[in-house]
Amino acid sequence: MLEASHPPLPSNDTSETSCKLKNIAIIGGGPAGAATALSLLKAGKYNVHVFDANQGAKIKIGESIPPAASAILKRLGQSKILSDADHLDCTGSVSVWGDKTPGHNDFWLVPVGKGFHLDRYRFDQQMKTAAETLGARWFEGWQLRSVARRNTGFKLQFHLVNGSQRQLHFDFVVDASGQAASFARKLGVVRNVFDEVLCLCAIFSLPKNSNMTNRSLVEAVDNGWWYAARLPGERVIISLTSDVEIIKAKGLKDPQKWNDELLKSQFIKKQLPSKVLQQLPELQVKVARSSILSGVMGEDWLAVGDAACSYDPLTSAGITKALMHGELAGVAIDRAWQSKHRRTIVDYQTKVFEQFNQYVSLRNQLYRAETRFHKQPFWKNRLFLQG
Ligand SMILES: Cc1cc2nc3c(=O)[nH]c(=O)nc-3n(C[C@H](O)[C@H](O)[C@H](O)COP(=O)(O)OP(=O)(O)OC[C@H]3O[C@@H](n4cnc5c(N)ncnc54)[C@H](O)[C@@H]3O)c2cc1C
């Protein structure tokens, strides 16, 4: 029976004196949720509960991290995660963007650490284990369904994979539920979406002893842009980013049409083994929004990672942002709890907004740099959105 194997849950007693340690719920067990748990448990003694709706999905998209992510993991005491043989070193990127001559971005010039192509499932599991080792209680297959405010904190209702429901009270809630922002949206917080692209991704096996580069590869094309990265376990991910209307009009969800489009690329296709180019993909469709909540904190709650704000995958910054938010949020909650004043949580929100503005500038700069296709709808849409 599922429930028998769960770690202890907080009491349903909602009186403030019922617990000596503050009960904190983290909704979502991705990089942002795990990093928040680690940061909180490093900062002080808390009862940290992580609830994740997901149970056992082994394929996760989003895998490339720059050296800046290694530096955050080091500060969270988790450097060893990246020395795991399951993750691949990534020495930088090569992009055909704005010019047909490839441009290089070398990570070895960055002094803070190495870049990686993660085995994303393994990475998320390692983060979970690290948080559990520090004392976090982790609940898989628990989906947040409803939220009710109490004098202090919130009463949360969960739907479990076995079909049962549970209601629990927490003093503080961290929304780490990804782009869904499941907790904040239930409180009525608005999500501002200023751009949305669709990614058609596929993972292929590489032939034995393939000499495919371990750099991330990017190529701008008339209908959007291609991304390819070698993955651990002799695999490669290839993704086409475009607009939903273009994908519909050109039928690009059809594996054959996606493959025809890949073969029209000038650079990416030459970096891929012919065995991969000859296969039809099993496509996964992922929505990627440039978006931010109108507020990423409130009385007894805050949001981290994609729940707080999400970036275009062109920047490869989503995991790094998730780790950074988690680190900052843990410290902010601890200081607010110690000082009985929520100024540090307001400061956290200011930081998230500032970083989002920096992201918007970077995104605009990147899309403006590609002028060869400026008459094509995908590129016109990106420039139009810059106002
Ligand atoms: C196509 C694509 C490619 C990308 N490539 C990269 C890349 O190369 N590098 C990079 O850094 N970033 C990349 N990203 C972005 C990156 O994947 C995200 O920014 C990152 O996963 C955010 O982490 P998170 O912990 O905030 O959210 P998530 O990883 O989305 O985790 C959220 C968790 O919350 C859980 N959840 C949701 N709703 C509920 C609920 N109601 N109750 C309980 N649990 C819930 C989900 O099950 C999930 O496990 C990419 C994104 C896309 C779409």
Side-chain angles (χ1 to χ4, degrees):
M1 173 91 172
L2 182 82
E3 283 199 47
S5 63
H6 281 311
L9 285 161
S11 144
N12 273 324
D13 182 349
T14 56
S15 68
E16 278 184 85
T17 52
S18 68
C19 55
K20 291 192 191 80
L21 300 182
K22 204 168 166 91
N23 274 321
I24 298 179
I26 299 177
I27 311 300
T36 310
L38 286 169
S39 177
L40 266 169
L41 292 162
K42 259 186 93 206
K45 289 197 164 184
Y46 296 99
N47 281 324
V48 175
H49 303 78
V50 182
F51 298 96
D52 199 294
N54 205 348
Q55 218 194 21
K58 294 235 163 157
I59 298 204
K60 290 198 169 181
I61 304 285
E63 65 293 315
S64 181
I65 54 166
S70 317
I72 304 168
L73 285 169
K74 191 172 176 190
R75 291 200 296 274
L76 290 171
Q78 301 304 326
S79 303
K80 65 176 186 313
I81 285 184
L82 296 174
S83 55
D84 189 291
D86 284 340
H87 307 305
L88 262 191
D89 285 9
C90 165
T91 49
S93 61
V94 189
S95 53
V96 173
W97 193 276
D99 194 315
K100 61 178 195 262
T101 312
H104 295 251
N105 177 12
D106 292 318
F107 285 163
W108 56 266
L109 295 170
V110 183
V112 291
K114 293 200 283 186
F116 290 88
H117 288 159
L118 301 171
D119 176 327
R120 180 61 195 277
Y121 173 73
R122 169 98 183 116
F123 177 74
D124 285 9
Q125 287 297 310
Q126 286 174 301
M127 290 290 286
K128 172 187 170 206
T129 304
E132 283 179 322
T133 305
L134 284 194
R137 294 155 190 186
W138 204 284
F139 302 83
E140 278 179 352
W142 284 54
Q143 185 180 41
L144 179 70
R145 282 292 172 88
S146 70
V147 174
R149 196 174 272 289
R150 287 289 174 267
N151 285 344
T152 59
F154 296 91
K155 191 187 248 184
L156 305 182
Q157 184 177 20
F158 293 93
H159 177 83
L160 278 65
V161 276
N162 65 3
S164 64
Q165 312 279 332
R166 292 296 293 265
Q167 278 200 357
L168 298 163
H169 174 262
F170 291 93
D171 305 298
F172 197 95
V173 178
V174 175
D175 188 345
S177 62
Q179 291 186 63
S182 303
F183 174 82
R185 297 297 301 277
K186 287 178 178 46
L187 289 184
V189 181
V190 173
R191 191 166 189 98
N192 299 301
V193 180
F194 83 92
D195 192 12
E196 182 175 301
V197 288
L198 225 55
C199 306
L200 302 179
C201 322
I203 295 175
F204 298 89
S205 295
L206 283 172
K208 240 186 177 172
N209 304 323
S210 165
N211 61 359
M212 189 188 163
T213 179
N214 61 357
R215 286 164 179 257
S216 301
L217 305 168
V218 179
E219 179 178 357
V221 292
D222 51 357
N223 289 320
W225 51 272
W226 285 97
Y227 163 83
R230 185 175 188 143
L231 296 179
E234 300 303 315
R235 295 169 307 150
V236 56
I237 180 163
I238 308 173
S239 166
L240 173 64
T241 297
S242 188
D243 276 320
V244 64
E245 297 81 9
I246 298 172
I247 288 172
K248 244 188 222 160
K250 300 203 171 281
L252 295 172
K253 282 190 192 167
D254 178 307
Q256 185 62 59
K257 296 215 167 114
W258 182 93
N259 184 259
D260 294 344
E261 203 70 11
L262 176 61
L263 294 175
K264 280 193 230 155
S265 69
Q266 297 298 310
F267 168 70
I268 290 259
K269 71 169 178 206
K270 292 184 188 145
Q271 315 304 314
L272 298 165
S274 53
K275 185 181 164 238
V276 167
L277 296 172
Q278 285 157 12
Q279 278 175 51
L280 289 186
E282 266 181 44
L283 291 175
Q284 292 194 44
V285 182
K286 300 280 170 191
V287 180
R289 301 185 183 95
S290 291
S291 69
I292 187 162
L293 292 179
S294 56
V296 302
M297 47 92 37
E299 194 71 40
D300 299 327
W301 71 273
L302 59 71
V304 288
D306 277 10
C309 57
S310 57
Y311 296 176
D312 189 312
L314 183 59
T315 58
S316 277
I319 298 168
T320 312
K321 160 178 59 74
L323 298 175
M324 192 188 299
H325 283 181
E327 182 189 22
L328 292 172
V331 173
I333 296 166
D334 179 58
R335 294 204 176 136
W337 178 239
Q338 300 295 341
S339 66
K340 307 272 174 259
H341 200 286
R342 65 175 190 163
R343 192 184 50 81
T344 53
I345 295 181
V346 176
D347 291 347
Y348 164 79
Q349 167 164 271
T350 306
K351 188 107 197 161
V352 172
F353 285 170
E354 278 169 7
Q355 286 175 352
F356 187 75
N357 286 337
Q358 285 164 13
Y359 153 72
V360 172
S361 303
L362 173 67
R363 174 212 170 269
N364 291 352
Q365 202 183 320
L366 290 171
Y367 279 115
R368 263 200 309 268
E370 177 51 82
T371 51
R372 294 173 298 159
F373 310 110
H374 68 280
K375 293 206 170 118
Q376 298 298 326
F378 177 82
W379 298 94
K380 271 203 220 164
N381 289 344
R382 302 290 88 62
L383 295 178
F384 170 73
L385 289 160
Q386 295 185 24

